[in-house]
């Protein structure tokens, strides 16, 4: 079973920040938080991952709470092309197996 | 930018027929994964290879599914015979090593069994 809980769907206005929450209350100290997204009919695309510290790359920012029980993926200026299903995954650093939940379907509206 | 290649992109077959999917991982990636994704759900791992060896095939329906990676590079996933319930997206992913590297996914093969 997936170790994360995400809202099934969210809307965001184009040009605004999209903040996607994820709860992972049973996360262990060596488990990373990964985010992927899947645009319709394509394979999942890696976005970002982190362990404890907040992370930022050219696609997004990842904010992890101090107790690591939840995180937020931030798309700073959402575009229509960001419409996708976003998956939050908790994965041990020593293992390889991702367990995908149903994710959050983000709709960016014009 | 290096990508995972998969073919075919789409496959339509009749039940009881055999189908095969091919995956070429990113060059230098030792670990290869096959996932199945049913419409509306997240991907589920079917099999994981480390070089040419199977590391995890616990979720692979071995009565009809087989997977191989003979030279530790590209891989083939086969279904024989196909059943109606096998209609899904089949995704291949690869990662550099088994030491916690990020997985990169291919575009997938969408299978429809009639």
């Amino acid at each position: 079973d997936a170790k994360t809980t995400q809202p099934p769907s969210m809307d965001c206005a184009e040009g605004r920040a999209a903040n996607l929450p994820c709860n992972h209350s049973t996360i262990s100290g060596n488990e990373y938080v990964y985010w992927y997204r899947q645009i319709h009919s394509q394979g999942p695309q890696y976005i970002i991952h982190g362990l404890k510290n907040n992370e930022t790359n050219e696609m997004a920012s990842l904010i992890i709470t101090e107790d690591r029980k939840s995180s937020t993926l931030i798309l700073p200026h959402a575009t229509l092309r960001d419409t996708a299903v976003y998956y939050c995954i908790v994965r041990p650093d020593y293992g390889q197996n991702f367990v995908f939940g149903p994710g959050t379907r983000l709709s960016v509206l014009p | 930018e290096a990508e995972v290649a998969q073919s075919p992109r789409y496959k339509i077959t009749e039940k009881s027929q055999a189908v095969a999917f091919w995956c070429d991982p990113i060059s230098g990636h030792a670990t290869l994964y096959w996932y199945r994704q049913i419409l509306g759900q997240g991907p589920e791992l079917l099999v994981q290879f480390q070089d040419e060896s199977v590391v995890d095939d616990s979720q692979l329906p071995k009565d009809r599914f087989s997977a191989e990676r003979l030279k530790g590079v590209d891989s083939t996933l086969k279904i024989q015979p196909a059943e109606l319930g096998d209609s899904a997206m089949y995704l291949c992913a690869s990662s550099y090593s088994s030491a916690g590297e990020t997985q990169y996914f291919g575009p997938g093969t969408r299978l429809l069994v009639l």
Side-chain angles (χ1 to χ4, degrees):
Chain A
D1 291 335
K3 300 174 68 173
T4 62
T5 303
Q6 299 179 253
S9 64
M10 293 181 63
D11 292 339
C12 177
E14 187 178 19
R16 303 298 293 270
N19 298 291
L20 292 94
C22 180
N23 286 321
H24 30 79
S25 58
T26 61
I27 194 169
S28 300
N30 63 345
E31 292 182 319
Y32 284 78
V33 179
Y34 270 75
W35 283 84
Y36 281 78
R37 73 180 183 183
Q38 189 171 24
I39 296 170
H40 182 63
S41 295
Q42 298 182 21
Q45 177 189 23
Y46 166 75
I47 302 174
I48 200 167
H49 73 282
L51 182 62
K52 295 181 182 178
N53 300 321
N54 298 337
E55 302 287 345
T56 295
N57 62 20
E58 65 278 5
M59 291 182 67
S61 295
L62 173 60
I63 308 299
I64 302 174
T65 58
E66 192 169 342
D67 63 7
R68 302 210 323 122
K69 294 185 176 182
S70 66
S71 61
T72 301
L73 179 74
I74 301 173
L75 309 178
H77 305 287
T79 71
L80 299 179
R81 287 176 291 183
D82 293 321
T83 292
V85 177
Y86 287 76
Y87 297 101
C88 171
I89 302 162
V90 167
R91 200 209 67 192
D93 63 346
Y94 54 83
Q96 288 290 304
N97 296 333
F98 287 173
V99 178
F100 286 81
T104 295
R105 182 172 298 277
L106 175 69
S107 298
V108 180
L109 307 175
Chain B
E1 181 177 308
E3 295 181 341
V4 176
Q6 289 189 248
S7 67
R9 291 294 311 278
Y10 304 92
K11 179 70 177 179
I12 300 174
T13 190
E14 294 184 344
K15 63 180 181 178
S16 79
Q17 296 298 305
V19 292
F21 314 127
W22 177 80
C23 172
D24 191 13
I26 293 173
S27 179
H29 279 197
T31 311
L32 184 147
Y33 317 79
W34 284 101
Y35 289 83
R36 177 172 59 186
Q37 184 175 25
I38 296 170
L39 194 63
Q41 300 181 16
E44 295 179 299
L45 181 69
L46 290 175
V47 61
Q48 175 188 342
F49 288 91
Q50 181 67 29
D51 298 311
E52 66 276 9
S53 300
V54 174
V55 174
D56 182 357
D57 63 355
S58 58
Q59 300 304 310
L60 188 70
K62 298 181 186 63
D63 57 335
R64 297 185 301 107
F65 286 64
S66 64
E68 61 182 17
R69 193 185 184 198
L70 295 178
K71 297 183 179 179
V73 181
D74 58 338
S75 175
T76 301
L77 178 69
K78 297 179 181 178
I79 308 174
Q80 182 173 14
E83 296 181 352
L84 297 178
D86 297 332
S87 295
M89 172 82 89
Y90 290 84
L91 295 159
C92 180
S94 69
S95 63
Y96 181 70
S97 71
S98 62
E101 295 290 330
T102 299
Q103 295 184 25
Y104 296 93
F105 285 80
T109 296
R110 184 167 295 281
L111 173 67
L112 178 61
V113 182
L114 302 176

